[in-house]
Amino acid sequence: EAEVEAEVRLLLQEAQESIEAARSYRRELEQRLRGLHQAREQIRESATLTRDVLEQHFNDLKGTLKKLLDERLMSLLQEVDAIEQDSIKPLDECQKLIEHGVSTADELLREGESAVHGDVGPQNEKLCSFTKKALHIQLDSLPEVPSLVDVPCLSAQLDDCLLTILKNQIFSHGTVASRPPVQLEEFVEKPGGILVRWCKVDDDFLPQDYRLQYRKGTASHFEDVYVGSETEFIVLHIDPNVDYQFRVCARGDGRQEWSPWSIPQTGRTTLVPHEWTTGLEGYSLSSRRNIALRNDSQSCGVLYSKAPTYVCGQTLTFRQTVGQPDRRDSLGVCVEQQNGFDSLQRDKAVCISTNGAVFVNGKEMTNQLPAVTSGSTVTFDMEVVQLGPSSSEGGNFKLRVTISSNNREVVFDWVLDQCCVSLYFGCSFSYPGWKVLVF
């Protein structure tokens, strides 16, 4: 009986496993059916949108082309009117001159006939007057009438090659692509931001510039956030735990028009944004408190972050506008806030001075980075280095630190006496004009 019960239990277990496998298999099939449905909807929606875009574009072209042709026709007709008027005007003047001559000749004929057939007494007087008048009129002077070969003969020269050019241009105008040449590739969470990466998926496409857009949720309109030649960009001012939609397109080398948009994808960050702490007299903060400006106050001190929001494994970035440098200036991270110091060049802190010197626990390293310049970035990357089975118990906790500035970097190990994976960041400047964005 025990063997039978064991066999039954085994069969029940196998049956239960088969049932679970069938359920899992059904779930996978249903998921694939949903994927097929989404793919079909994407094809149909994109095809409908493409038809609408093509029809609208070619209707616009028709209207523009008709307008241009009408304007050209009107210009040519006006040119014909101008030539006609300019050519007829001298002929009209010549006609008036001839008609005046005919009238004068008629009048002279009447006077001559009257003088010839008149009485003998007054006849001599009329003949003398007629003869003088005839000599004065210069009957041998005739106006010049242009020959037909000298008169304009208007015609229109219409080259049929325009139709050939238009035909070739129209037949090659526009293309239909089955997929955009660039697609979004990766979203990386940043404190208060998202690092967006994209890539080219069409080997024949030669990109010159990229254009990245985003929108909050799905209700708002897309807006430009980056245009340039890079294939990644950190989008800042992102609210944590909120979905944002992104899309990217590209402009081919030597082209003016943008390619079709990539398929919109959703990204989000769960990391709260880095913020400077408020209330330090020597610094003014932006509304989001991620930008600090060293003001004209004589007060000195270190401006710390609001909380220890820098976590090992992330990249902390400072981007600055420079002012007058001082050897005590500092940008860096620390274990805890310590008031009473005018620089991070102290114990339990690592930092870089604005002249490029690197300090670890207040001691200057031999290796040095380039001086901080306006618009450049300084980045801190840290990872925990395990020493022994329990490095977090004190005394031997080590962080591997990489500080980068102006395409150069230094790497060193920072030994601490306590486990610390969340750190404060801070800055200090002796003179006004320095402005630091942290992200």
Side-chain angles (χ1 to χ4, degrees):
E1 292 181 0
E3 292 179 357
V4 172
E5 289 179 359
E7 185 176 354
V8 170
R9 285 196 298 271
L10 180 61
L11 290 173
L12 287 174
Q13 182 179 355
E14 290 178 351
Q16 191 66 35
E17 290 176 353
S18 299
I19 291 173
E20 290 299 324
R23 287 174 178 168
S24 176
Y25 179 65
R26 178 182 176 81
R27 285 194 297 269
E28 290 292 333
L29 290 176
E30 290 175 345
Q31 183 175 357
R32 279 163 172 74
L33 281 175
R34 288 192 295 270
L36 287 174
H37 176 72
Q38 292 175 350
R40 185 178 290 106
E41 287 300 313
Q42 177 174 299
I43 293 172
R44 287 175 175 169
E45 290 177 2
S46 62
T48 300
L49 178 61
T50 302
R51 291 188 190 97
D52 293 341
V53 169
L54 287 172
E55 290 176 357
Q56 183 64 47
H57 177 74
F58 277 86
N59 285 334
D60 292 343
L61 281 180
K62 290 177 185 177
T64 303
L65 185 59
K66 183 180 184 304
K67 180 180 178 182
L68 292 174
L69 289 174
D70 289 342
E71 290 177 355
R72 181 55 180 164
L73 174 60
M74 183 61 65
S75 175
L76 292 173
L77 291 176
Q78 291 174 352
E79 189 175 345
V80 170
D81 293 342
I83 295 175
E84 181 184 25
Q85 293 174 7
D86 292 343
S87 301
I88 291 294
K89 184 177 180 179
L91 297 182
D92 290 342
E93 293 175 352
C94 184
Q95 179 176 343
K96 291 180 180 178
L97 184 61
I98 293 176
E99 289 175 349
H100 178 70
V102 170
S103 176
T104 302
D106 288 341
E107 183 180 351
L108 189 62
L109 284 173
R110 286 194 298 271
E111 290 183 8
E113 291 176 351
S114 175
V116 170
H117 298 95
D119 296 333
V120 176
Q123 185 177 16
N124 291 336
E125 184 179 348
K126 288 183 178 182
L127 286 174
C128 289
S129 175
F130 169 72
T131 302
K132 290 179 181 181
K133 189 174 183 178
L135 292 174
H136 178 72
I137 292 177
Q138 297 180 350
L139 296 177
D140 57 346
S141 177
L142 296 174
E144 186 71 24
V145 177
S147 61
L148 293 180
V149 296
D150 297 327
V151 175
C153 182
L154 279 69
S155 63
Q157 289 75 48
L158 301 174
D159 194 347
D160 290 339
C161 71
L162 175 62
L163 295 176
T164 303
I165 296 174
L166 287 176
K167 180 179 178 181
N168 294 334
Q169 291 292 327
I170 290 173
F171 283 171
S172 62
H173 180 68
T175 57
V176 176
S178 60
R179 57 177 52 87
V182 291
Q183 292 286 5
L184 295 169
E185 183 179 28
E186 184 181 15
F187 298 105
V188 180
E189 293 185 59
K190 295 290 182 179
I194 300 175
L195 172 61
V196 184
R197 292 192 175 104
W198 54 89
C199 62
K200 182 171 70 77
V201 295
D202 185 351
D203 294 336
D204 297 328
F205 185 77
L206 298 177
Q208 175 180 311
D209 292 308
Y210 298 98
R211 181 182 178 189
L212 177 67
Q213 290 188 337
Y214 83 124
R215 67 180 179 182
K216 188 175 182 179
T218 57
S220 59
H221 296 290
F222 280 99
E223 59 181 273
D224 287 343
V225 69
Y226 172 77
V227 175
S229 59
E230 301 296 328
T231 56
E232 65 177 36
F233 183 75
I234 296 180
V235 183
L236 299 176
H237 306 156
I238 295 293
D239 295 329
N241 302 308
V242 174
D243 287 339
Y244 287 80
Q245 278 199 330
F246 297 86
R247 65 182 185 181
V248 67
C249 65
R251 180 163 48 198
D253 189 20
R255 305 296 293 268
Q256 295 296 322
E257 71 279 3
W258 292 100
S259 72
W261 290 105
S262 66
I263 298 172
Q265 295 190 36
T266 301
R268 64 160 47 198
T269 182
T270 59
L271 306 176
V272 297
H274 292 317
E275 293 183 10
W276 298 104
T277 190
T278 59
L280 190 61
E281 184 179 349
Y283 295 87
S284 304
L285 305 184
S286 64
S287 59
R288 290 182 176 267
R289 296 182 293 279
N290 61 340
I291 300 176
L293 172 66
R294 181 66 167 95
N295 56 36
D296 294 334
S297 173
Q298 298 299 317
S299 175
C300 295
V302 178
L303 178 65
Y304 292 101
S305 58
K306 180 180 178 181
T309 52
Y310 173 61
V311 179
C312 293
Q314 299 177 1
T315 297
L316 178 69
T317 304
F318 299 99
R319 182 177 297 153
Q320 55 281 318
T321 301
V322 301
Q324 182 180 343
D326 185 88
R327 65 182 184 85
R328 295 292 295 167
D329 294 341
S330 61
L331 284 167
V333 297
C334 57
V335 175
E336 58 191 7
Q337 297 182 1
Q338 292 185 10
N339 298 323
F341 290 90
D342 62 355
S343 175
L344 285 175
Q345 299 171 21
R346 61 167 176 80
D347 188 37
K348 294 185 179 181
V350 294
C351 66
I352 177 177
S353 176
T354 53
N355 63 6
V358 179
F359 292 84
V360 182
N361 292 332
K363 297 181 180 179
E364 184 175 354
M365 293 184 61
T366 304
N367 294 334
Q368 185 166 333
L369 292 169
V372 174
T373 57
S374 199
S376 66
T377 59
V378 176
T379 61
F380 287 75
D381 291 275
M382 299 189 185
E383 59 177 340
V384 177
V385 179
Q386 299 294 339
L387 294 179
S390 57
S391 63
S392 61
E393 294 180 356
N396 286 324
F397 187 76
K398 184 185 293 185
L399 296 175
R400 182 150 296 158
V401 182
T402 302
I403 306 178
S404 302
S405 176
N406 286 322
N407 297 320
R408 288 182 57 187
E409 65 180 28
V410 294
V411 182
F412 56 90
D413 288 339
W414 183 22
V415 180
L416 299 170
D417 59 1
Q418 65 188 83
C419 176
C420 190
V421 293
S422 297
L423 300 166
Y424 290 89
F425 56 86
C427 69
S428 65
F429 301 102
S430 300
Y431 298 101
W434 289 90
K435 184 167 67 173
V436 180
L437 165 68
V438 60
F439 58 91

